[in-house]
Structures are given as C-alpha cells and as structure tokens.
Amino acid sequence: FFLSRREGPGVSGGGVMVPPPSREDMVAQAWVTGFTNIAMLPVTIQAFSYGKHYEGIMGMMAMVTSALYHTCQSLDITFLTLNEGRWHHMDNVFAILSLMAMSIGFAQLPLHSVWRELFHAASVGVAVCAQLAYPWDVRFTIGPLVFSVVFTILAVALRWKHLRFNRQAGMIAMVSFVCAVVCFVQGLDDQKDRMRLWHGGWHIFVSVFSGFSLRAQRGPAKDVEPSDVFDKSD
C-alpha cells in the first residue's frame, strides 16, 4: 500500500523522464532529487520561529511533496497508491504557494493583518484553480506568481515608509535566487542531466533564497510594528 512498483505511464505532463538503466543510478538519482529537499526544513523552522506559520506550512508541504514526487519518479514506484504525476501535481501547487508567500513577505504585512490573511486565502484559491484547470500549461504556473508580484509591488509602494530590510540578507537572497534559476533551467533537459544534479542544485539554492529572504523581510532588528495603511486598528 505504501510503496509499490508503478504500473502504466505516469501523469507528469510534458513527457515523463525515463530513469537511468541501472538500479544503482536510480537510487543515486532518488537521493539527489529527493533528499536535497531537506534543505527546506531549516527554512520552515525559521518561518515558525518568526511567527509566520502559513509560510512554514507551505514550505513543509512543498518539501514533502517534492521529495515524494522525485523519489517515485526516480525509482519508478508509487507511494500511497499515487504515482509520480499525482505527487508532481501537488508539488506544483505548494511550490507556487510558497513562492507567492515569499513574494508578499517583502511587503512586511503585520502578522495579524486582515490584508495578509486575505492575500494568503486568495493565493490558495488562485493557485489551486489554475493548477486544477491546466496543470501542465506554463501560463497557469506563471499567472499566480505574476498576481503575487503585482500585489507585492502595490503593497510595497503603499507601505514604503514603514519598511525596514536586512540588506545583507537581501543581497545573499538575490544571488541565491539567480543561482536557483540557473540550476532550474539547466536541469530541464533530463537527457543531459541524467543524475538530475542541476535540479538538486535548484532545491538547495531555492531553500537558501527562501531562508535569507525571511531574514531580509524581518528587517535589521525585528518585525515592523502593525501601524500602517494595512492595519485596520488605525
């Protein structure tokens, strides 16, 4: 029930990667693509320590579903009767939600702000609907992210005088993000990266980006006090 050999083709969309021929290479690939997701664990703990429970949960779910997706894909198995395609679908949803949450974090909305809660609720609705409608259409992956970036820009513009960033952490986050994008793009061609080393690098660098983004958003000393245009108590 928990683990079984997959029967029939996967449902990954856009072509299913054929695992390397040898058992040893399959296991190595599973370690590279599955275990590298553990880099997100310290980030989820960090989010909880900052009181950002939503971000912590989204990061945890992205980490777990990604690890299961890549393990099932590499070893050609199912887990809980779900094949790599199903886990891939869930991974996409939580990865999108995690990035959307990381984006709006730069607006430093107060933790108990109504606007923060509304944005996260809307994010779940937009991401889930987009992925259920067209899960393998890149436009429905980018669309929710564009929505979050636009909202973030507007929120930052309105809150600018209240924002305080940790610039050193922000610079490290930017460099890590560039490295993550390079790894992701380079890893798109499975035939040239059979061990999926580039994709493993994506997992590591996007985790580093997330961790330092949280630090940058926290500001030089502590979270911004909830006294701005997004706080209903004003």
Side-chain angles (χ1 to χ4, degrees), residues 8-21:
V11 194
S12 295
V16 179
M17 181 185 67
V18 178

Side-chain angles (χ1 to χ4, degrees), residues 31 42 58 65 96 123 137 165 189:
W31 272 98
M58 291 302 107
T65 54
I96 291 170
S123 296
D137 188 331
F165 296 106
D189 190 343

Side-chain angles (χ1 to χ4, degrees), residues 9 28 32 72 79 108 151 205 207-208 211 225 233:
V32 170
C72 289
F79 180 72
Q108 296 178 354
F151 186 92
F205 280 112
S207 298
V208 174
E225 292 297 325
S233 64

Side-chain angles (χ1 to χ4, degrees), residues 44-100:
T44 63
I45 296 173
Q46 178 185 4
F48 279 112
S49 72
Y50 288 173
K52 295 188 173 184
H53 305 123
Y54 174 86
E55 289 85 341
I57 291 295
M58 291 302 107
M60 182 70 71
M61 293 303 298
M63 177 185 71
V64 171
T65 54
S66 177
L68 289 172
Y69 151 52
H70 286 296
T71 300
C72 289
Q73 182 187 51
S74 300
L75 300 181
D76 199 25
I77 59 176
T78 64
F79 180 72
L80 297 178
T81 74
L82 300 176
N83 64 18
E84 64 176 82
R86 299 304 181 190
W87 290 113
H88 190 178
H89 199 176
M90 287 183 272
D91 173 32
N92 284 352
V93 171
F94 289 114
I96 291 170
L97 288 172
S98 296
L99 290 174
M100 293 176 78

